[in-house]
Amino acid sequence: MTLDYREVEASSAMATCCERHHRPGRAARSGASTSRDGGSFDTFFEGWLVRHEHYLEELLTTQQQCREYPGDDVKDLITRVLSHYQQYFEEKSRVAQRNVFLVFAPTCLSSLECASLWITGFKPGFALRLVFSSVQDLSQEQSERIERLMEETKVEERVLNDELARVQESVAAPPLLEMARKQARRMNVEGGREEALLTLRKALEEVVAGADLLRMTTTMKVVEILKPEQNVRYLTAATQLFLNLRNLGLQKDASTKG
């Protein structure tokens, strides 16, 4: 599948702010807790990527020989792939609960991947548009259900965008913005501002949790609408897109450093 880079969304202002800490040498100057949290997720992500590539191979094989596979085997593969993505969200959630600023600019992602993030992950509406480009035999009823889901998802995305904007406004003043930067580096924060920082972190955690929930519920609704063989094509396209974006991002970062 060809990657349409026009679909890559710009990161939010908060992601941009936190991305300033996503530079060579920054990790070495960070506190031990940040290093441990980020390093733990990096280790998880390396193993997750290996499994991701294996699932792509299995999806491609199943897609090519779908008619030869028993229906239960196809459904089992779909369940395992969805569980694979769920593991990613669960691990990211644990990192966010320890230090939410880390998930806005994870060190394991390339600059291009960070720039494509919408509230620390893929935009649900983009996943829905991927259905129409990867599944060509949708029935009229399926198309209408996907279109309704797109409209519902747009509303939910706007709610989350507004909530993130409200949180960002609360850190617009230099003193509070500096607290966020210090917290991302796990530096000490003045006692008088600790309560405000905790409020900020809690607000960001709730926005990220809401975005992740929307991502997963949207995906599950798509899976319910599609037939098993259509789901295989859809999940194959999504898995390929993820790896294509990552490979391109790593290449761009390598050429920039070179």
Side-chain angles (χ1 to χ4, degrees):
M1 190 188 74
T2 302
L3 178 63
D4 185 352
Y5 300 105
R6 293 171 297 180
E7 297 290 350
V8 176
E9 303 289 344
S11 58
S12 67
M14 175 58 77
T16 301
C17 167
C18 293
E19 188 177 358
R20 293 170 184 167
H21 304 288
H22 185 65
R23 295 174 180 171
R26 178 66 66 179
R29 296 192 294 271
S30 299
S33 181
T34 288
S35 177
R36 181 169 60 252
D37 292 343
S40 175
F41 184 76
D42 288 357
T43 300
F44 163 81
F45 189 65
E46 289 176 3
W48 188 86
L49 271 179
V50 172
R51 296 189 295 276
H52 196 75
E53 292 175 345
H54 289 167
Y55 275 122
L56 176 57
E57 294 176 1
E58 192 170 355
L59 283 165
L60 286 169
T61 299
T62 303
Q63 179 176 301
Q64 295 168 359
Q65 306 173 5
C66 200
R67 294 182 180 179
E68 301 175 14
Y69 279 73
D72 289 343
D73 288 354
V74 175
K75 292 179 181 178
D76 176 68
L77 173 59
I78 294 169
T79 299
R80 287 187 288 113
V81 172
L82 292 175
S83 177
H84 169 67
Y85 280 104
Q86 181 64 33
Q87 289 171 7
Y88 176 87
F89 287 118
E90 289 175 351
E91 183 63 24
K92 183 162 75 73
S93 175
R94 282 189 282 269
V95 173
Q97 290 172 9
R98 292 192 293 267
N99 187 348
V100 69
F101 299 105
L102 291 174
V103 299
F104 278 93
T107 57
C108 58
L109 299 185
S110 66
S111 298
L112 179 61
E113 289 171 294
C114 282
S116 72
L117 297 179
W118 175 80
I119 313 182
T120 76
F122 67 85
K123 196 169 187 178
F126 174 76
L128 288 169
R129 293 194 292 275
L130 187 62
V131 175
F132 289 107
S133 63
S134 61
V135 182
Q136 304 300 321
D137 59 346
L138 293 171
S139 67
Q140 182 66 29
E141 180 187 2
Q142 286 177 315
S143 296
E144 291 174 354
R145 292 177 66 185
I146 293 294
E147 288 173 355
R148 286 197 299 270
L149 182 56
M150 291 180 72
E151 292 303 315
E152 295 169 1
T153 302
K154 285 180 182 179
V155 173
E156 297 294 333
E157 288 175 347
R158 283 196 294 270
V159 171
L160 287 165
N161 280 333
D162 290 344
E163 181 62 19
L164 182 60
R166 185 192 64 78
V167 174
Q168 289 175 180
E169 288 175 1
S170 74
V171 300
L176 196 52
L177 178 59
E178 183 60 26
M179 284 197 308
R181 291 173 176 170
K182 288 182 178 180
Q183 181 63 10
R185 298 194 298 269
R186 300 297 293 181
M187 294 172 61
N188 292 330
V189 179
E190 295 179 14
R193 298 178 181 176
E194 183 177 355
E195 183 176 350
L197 178 59
L198 290 175
T199 300
L200 169 63
R201 290 183 60 175
K202 181 63 175 178
L204 288 175
E205 288 172 14
E206 291 178 355
V207 174
V208 171
D212 282 346
L213 178 61
L214 181 59
R215 280 184 268 270
M216 284 305 299
T217 55
T218 300
T219 301
M220 294 305 299
K221 288 177 181 178
V222 168
V223 171
E224 292 175 359
I225 293 172
L226 301 181
K227 298 177 181 178
E229 59 271 21
Q230 292 173 326
N231 273 315
V232 170
R233 277 177 271 152
Y234 171 66
L235 293 173
T236 299
T239 305
Q240 284 180 318
L241 181 62
F242 179 93
L243 291 175
N244 287 345
L245 180 63
R246 176 159 184 80
N247 291 334
L248 181 61
L250 294 175
Q251 291 172 12
K252 284 184 174 292
D253 283 355
S255 62
T256 300
K257 292 178 182 179

